[in-house]
Amino acid sequence: MRVFVKSMRGSNLDPCKNQKARQLLKEKKAKIISYKPFTIQMLIATGETTHESHVGIDLGAKYTGVAITQEDRVLAKGNIECRQDIKGLLETKKIYRRSRRSRKTRYRKCKFKHKTTRVYSNKKGKWVKKKTPFTSPRPKSWLPPSLESRTQNVFFWIDTFTSLLPKVTLHIEVGKFDVQKMKNPGIQGKSYQEGDTFGYHDVRYYVFARDNYTCQVCKKKGNILNTHHIIYRSHGGSDAPSNLISVCTDCHTSDNHKRGRILWNWMEKRKKVPTYKEPPFMNALRIRTFRRYPDARIIYGSETTPRRKELHLEKTHYNDAIAISGIQHIKENPPTIFYIKQFRKKKRSLHEATARKGRKNKNLTQKRNKKNTKEMKGIHLNDTVRIFGKIGFVSGFTNVGLYVKDIHNAYITKPGKTYKQVSFKDVTVENHNNNWQFISHLASDGA
């Protein structure tokens, strides 16, 4: 990834190579103003001309591809990964707060207004019903917190990259989905108003039809089928279609339910069934993108594929971003990519159901400041560190050590050892981070 450059007066210049940036810093002709992405500002007047820059953005439900190009050169490319755990954390918080109502704890004011409120009062011996005026608790542009978080964080990085480039043109690929037509290509008319299970005797037969009357273990047709709960009912699994899957009687045995067998592994790995929860988000993101960037060049996925094939690029998010950036042929394409990943740094719940990593017992005393160990021996949570020749990020602490993960969420352990904890003496701090993990030079898929 190249280094972004600003002039003395703060205007944007063309990005430069790392070698040139090091030379300018060594000669004290420039200073560092940002590390992620790495940006320097010139301390001397420059008469360099600038070229038109293009930023390609491939929007996705989980990953967003980014590419920066000038003429026939790819200056930088990479992926951005936003958090996917917000919905689950909010559901956990709801369970915690609901359980608090049965205990003697401090009062928390209601966050949301009801649409209508009915009050019964005794007036002169008669009960009178009063109704408050209708008040909408949410604006029209409201999105669920999980989708709002992803949307705003993607826009944040788009604004960041475009603010560092001269004469920038923004290219964005969006998606438009008809979920019901994806499920039933022949749908039309009033059928759009009928739910997934319409026409089926019950949910059980809908699940069989969804799985094409095929056992999802042995992949055979014709056997007697059962609807198996992916998360066992004994473990809190629901009867929703998303938690049901078709399994024949030959495979739906008590042995397969035991620990280490296929049905148990499905529960541990939260096996996915065909769902269509991401297309509505992409539709909402598309509308938000139109409003936020009215001057951007909007491209749809059907146009991206032939462009990418003409450039002889493999199918990745950042390669799609290169294809939509308007580049005609590639003369220079770096072998490395940058990778940006969102990190949850705080745990805000007052108490917990299971002990957090690094704690032997659950925190039930409602002391928020005791929930997380944010710093120990000068090392902070999510700091970038170098350990055993690798770059990682601090994910937690113990009394005598800490845990370090790489950008792909895998633990970095001591060579020849299996335990995850590492010693403070083996760690060298590179820099502090907020809620983002940033690797500027990661080997690309084709490298």
PDB file of all heavy atoms in Angstrom, residues 88-101:
ATOM      1  N   GLY A  88     -26.572 -10.408  17.815  1.00  0.00           N
ATOM      2  CA  GLY A  88     -26.519 -11.392  18.892  1.00  0.00           C
ATOM      3  C   GLY A  88     -26.261 -10.750  20.249  1.00  0.00           C
ATOM      4  O   GLY A  88     -26.840 -11.165  21.265  1.00  0.00           O
ATOM      5  N   LEU A  89     -25.412  -9.724  20.275  1.00  0.00           N
ATOM      6  CA  LEU A  89     -25.124  -9.044  21.539  1.00  0.00           C
ATOM      7  C   LEU A  89     -26.348  -8.283  22.046  1.00  0.00           C
ATOM      8  O   LEU A  89     -26.604  -8.243  23.252  1.00  0.00           O
ATOM      9  CB  LEU A  89     -23.952  -8.090  21.354  1.00  0.00           C
ATOM     10  CG  LEU A  89     -22.599  -8.743  21.089  1.00  0.00           C
ATOM     11  CD1 LEU A  89     -21.567  -7.700  20.733  1.00  0.00           C
ATOM     12  CD2 LEU A  89     -22.140  -9.546  22.298  1.00  0.00           C
ATOM     13  N   LEU A  90     -27.114  -7.686  21.148  1.00  0.00           N
ATOM     14  CA  LEU A  90     -28.323  -6.993  21.559  1.00  0.00           C
ATOM     15  C   LEU A  90     -29.364  -7.965  22.102  1.00  0.00           C
ATOM     16  O   LEU A  90     -30.085  -7.661  23.056  1.00  0.00           O
ATOM     17  CB  LEU A  90     -28.901  -6.201  20.384  1.00  0.00           C
ATOM     18  CG  LEU A  90     -28.100  -4.965  19.945  1.00  0.00           C
ATOM     19  CD1 LEU A  90     -28.725  -4.354  18.707  1.00  0.00           C
ATOM     20  CD2 LEU A  90     -28.044  -3.939  21.063  1.00  0.00           C
ATOM     21  N   GLU A  91     -29.464  -9.144  21.497  1.00  0.00           N
ATOM     22  CA  GLU A  91     -30.391 -10.152  22.012  1.00  0.00           C
ATOM     23  C   GLU A  91     -29.959 -10.633  23.391  1.00  0.00           C
ATOM     24  O   GLU A  91     -30.796 -10.850  24.272  1.00  0.00           O
ATOM     25  CB  GLU A  91     -30.472 -11.325  21.035  1.00  0.00           C
ATOM     26  CG  GLU A  91     -31.169 -10.975  19.725  1.00  0.00           C
ATOM     27  CD  GLU A  91     -31.172 -12.128  18.748  1.00  0.00           C
ATOM     28  OE1 GLU A  91     -30.428 -13.110  18.994  1.00  0.00           O
ATOM     29  OE2 GLU A  91     -31.908 -12.066  17.753  1.00  0.00           O
ATOM     30  N   THR A  92     -28.653 -10.802  23.581  1.00  0.00           N
ATOM     31  CA  THR A  92     -28.149 -11.185  24.905  1.00  0.00           C
ATOM     32  C   THR A  92     -28.451 -10.093  25.928  1.00  0.00           C
ATOM     33  O   THR A  92     -28.865 -10.378  27.058  1.00  0.00           O
ATOM     34  CB  THR A  92     -26.635 -11.438  24.838  1.00  0.00           C
ATOM     35  OG1 THR A  92     -26.368 -12.450  23.862  1.00  0.00           O
ATOM     36  CG2 THR A  92     -26.102 -11.888  26.194  1.00  0.00           C
ATOM     37  N   LYS A  93     -28.258  -8.832  25.538  1.00  0.00           N
ATOM     38  CA  LYS A  93     -28.563  -7.722  26.448  1.00  0.00           C
ATOM     39  C   LYS A  93     -30.037  -7.716  26.825  1.00  0.00           C
ATOM     40  O   LYS A  93     -30.396  -7.452  27.984  1.00  0.00           O
ATOM     41  CB  LYS A  93     -28.185  -6.402  25.785  1.00  0.00           C
ATOM     42  CG  LYS A  93     -28.418  -5.177  26.663  1.00  0.00           C
ATOM     43  CD  LYS A  93     -28.080  -3.895  25.947  1.00  0.00           C
ATOM     44  CE  LYS A  93     -29.094  -3.586  24.867  1.00  0.00           C
ATOM     45  NZ  LYS A  93     -28.873  -2.254  24.270  1.00  0.00           N
ATOM     46  N   LYS A  94     -30.909  -8.020  25.863  1.00  0.00           N
ATOM     47  CA  LYS A  94     -32.339  -8.051  26.140  1.00  0.00           C
ATOM     48  C   LYS A  94     -32.675  -9.118  27.177  1.00  0.00           C
ATOM     49  O   LYS A  94     -33.485  -8.901  28.089  1.00  0.00           O
ATOM     50  CB  LYS A  94     -33.104  -8.329  24.844  1.00  0.00           C
ATOM     51  CG  LYS A  94     -34.618  -8.361  25.020  1.00  0.00           C
ATOM     52  CD  LYS A  94     -35.315  -8.552  23.687  1.00  0.00           C
ATOM     53  CE  LYS A  94     -35.060  -9.940  23.139  1.00  0.00           C
ATOM     54  NZ  LYS A  94     -35.850 -10.202  21.909  1.00  0.00           N
ATOM     55  N   ILE A  95     -31.996 -10.273  27.069  1.00  0.00           N
ATOM     56  CA  ILE A  95     -32.219 -11.349  28.050  1.00  0.00           C
ATOM     57  C   ILE A  95     -31.751 -10.904  29.429  1.00  0.00           C
ATOM     58  O   ILE A  95     -32.431 -11.125  30.439  1.00  0.00           O
ATOM     59  CB  ILE A  95     -31.491 -12.626  27.592  1.00  0.00           C
ATOM     60  CG1 ILE A  95     -32.108 -13.145  26.289  1.00  0.00           C
ATOM     61  CG2 ILE A  95     -31.540 -13.686  28.680  1.00  0.00           C
ATOM     62  CD1 ILE A  95     -31.343 -14.286  25.673  1.00  0.00           C
ATOM     63  N   TYR A  96     -30.581 -10.272  29.481  1.00  0.00           N
ATOM     64  CA  TYR A  96     -30.060  -9.804  30.764  1.00  0.00           C
ATOM     65  C   TYR A  96     -31.008  -8.790  31.408  1.00  0.00           C
ATOM     66  O   TYR A  96     -31.324  -8.869  32.595  1.00  0.00           O
ATOM     67  CB  TYR A  96     -28.692  -9.139  30.564  1.00  0.00           C
ATOM     68  CG  TYR A  96     -27.558 -10.095  30.259  1.00  0.00           C
ATOM     69  CD1 TYR A  96     -26.355  -9.631  29.748  1.00  0.00           C
ATOM     70  CD2 TYR A  96     -27.689 -11.461  30.486  1.00  0.00           C
ATOM     71  CE1 TYR A  96     -25.304 -10.492  29.464  1.00  0.00           C
ATOM     72  CE2 TYR A  96     -26.651 -12.321  30.199  1.00  0.00           C
ATOM     73  CZ  TYR A  96     -25.465 -11.840  29.694  1.00  0.00           C
ATOM     74  OH  TYR A  96     -24.435 -12.692  29.420  1.00  0.00           O
ATOM     75  N   ARG A  97     -31.464  -7.825  30.634  1.00  0.00           N
ATOM     76  CA  ARG A  97     -32.328  -6.785  31.191  1.00  0.00           C
ATOM     77  C   ARG A  97     -33.680  -7.362  31.619  1.00  0.00           C
ATOM     78  O   ARG A  97     -34.262  -6.916  32.607  1.00  0.00           O
ATOM     79  CB  ARG A  97     -32.526  -5.670  30.170  1.00  0.00           C
ATOM     80  CG  ARG A  97     -31.294  -4.806  29.997  1.00  0.00           C
ATOM     81  CD  ARG A  97     -31.569  -3.603  29.128  1.00  0.00           C
ATOM     82  NE  ARG A  97     -30.439  -2.678  29.161  1.00  0.00           N
ATOM     83  CZ  ARG A  97     -30.401  -1.540  28.495  1.00  0.00           C
ATOM     84  NH1 ARG A  97     -31.417  -1.185  27.739  1.00  0.00           N
ATOM     85  NH2 ARG A  97     -29.354  -0.735  28.580  1.00  0.00           N
ATOM     86  N   ARG A  98     -34.175  -8.310  30.873  1.00  0.00           N
ATOM     87  CA  ARG A  98     -35.455  -8.913  31.251  1.00  0.00           C
ATOM     88  C   ARG A  98     -35.318  -9.664  32.570  1.00  0.00           C
ATOM     89  O   ARG A  98     -36.212  -9.628  33.417  1.00  0.00           O
ATOM     90  CB  ARG A  98     -35.927  -9.853  30.145  1.00  0.00           C
ATOM     91  CG  ARG A  98     -37.256 -10.504  30.415  1.00  0.00           C
ATOM     92  CD  ARG A  98     -37.797 -11.182  29.178  1.00  0.00           C
ATOM     93  NE  ARG A  98     -38.109 -10.215  28.131  1.00  0.00           N
ATOM     94  CZ  ARG A  98     -38.543 -10.548  26.921  1.00  0.00           C
ATOM     95  NH1 ARG A  98     -38.668 -11.828  26.607  1.00  0.00           N
ATOM     96  NH2 ARG A  98     -38.811  -9.630  26.034  1.00  0.00           N
ATOM     97  N   SER A  99     -34.194 -10.337  32.773  1.00  0.00           N
ATOM     98  CA  SER A  99     -34.001 -11.067  34.025  1.00  0.00           C
ATOM     99  C   SER A  99     -33.820 -10.114  35.203  1.00  0.00           C
ATOM    100  O   SER A  99     -34.136 -10.471  36.346  1.00  0.00           O
ATOM    101  CB  SER A  99     -32.779 -11.990  33.911  1.00  0.00           C
ATOM    102  OG  SER A  99     -31.589 -11.236  33.780  1.00  0.00           O
ATOM    103  N   ARG A 100     -33.364  -8.892  34.938  1.00  0.00           N
ATOM    104  CA  ARG A 100     -33.156  -7.931  36.018  1.00  0.00           C
ATOM    105  C   ARG A 100     -34.487  -7.463  36.612  1.00  0.00           C
ATOM    106  O   ARG A 100     -34.537  -6.986  37.749  1.00  0.00           O
ATOM    107  CB  ARG A 100     -32.373  -6.710  35.512  1.00  0.00           C
ATOM    108  CG  ARG A 100     -30.941  -7.009  35.125  1.00  0.00           C
ATOM    109  CD  ARG A 100     -30.215  -5.756  34.659  1.00  0.00           C
ATOM    110  NE  ARG A 100     -29.939  -4.865  35.764  1.00  0.00           N
ATOM    111  CZ  ARG A 100     -30.534  -3.700  35.961  1.00  0.00           C
ATOM    112  NH1 ARG A 100     -31.478  -3.303  35.140  1.00  0.00           N
ATOM    113  NH2 ARG A 100     -30.212  -2.945  36.977  1.00  0.00           N
ATOM    114  N   ARG A 101     -35.577  -7.552  35.836  1.00  0.00           N
ATOM    115  CA  ARG A 101     -36.857  -7.066  36.331  1.00  0.00           C
ATOM    116  C   ARG A 101     -37.368  -7.886  37.511  1.00  0.00           C
ATOM    117  O   ARG A 101     -38.217  -7.421  38.267  1.00  0.00           O
ATOM    118  CB  ARG A 101     -37.894  -7.083  35.198  1.00  0.00           C
ATOM    119  CG  ARG A 101     -37.532  -6.173  34.042  1.00  0.00           C
ATOM    120  CD  ARG A 101     -38.700  -5.999  33.075  1.00  0.00           C
ATOM    121  NE  ARG A 101     -38.277  -5.202  31.924  1.00  0.00           N
ATOM    122  CZ  ARG A 101     -38.098  -5.697  30.706  1.00  0.00           C
ATOM    123  NH1 ARG A 101     -38.297  -6.981  30.486  1.00  0.00           N
ATOM    124  NH2 ARG A 101     -37.726  -4.912  29.715  1.00  0.00           N
TER     125      ARG A 101
END
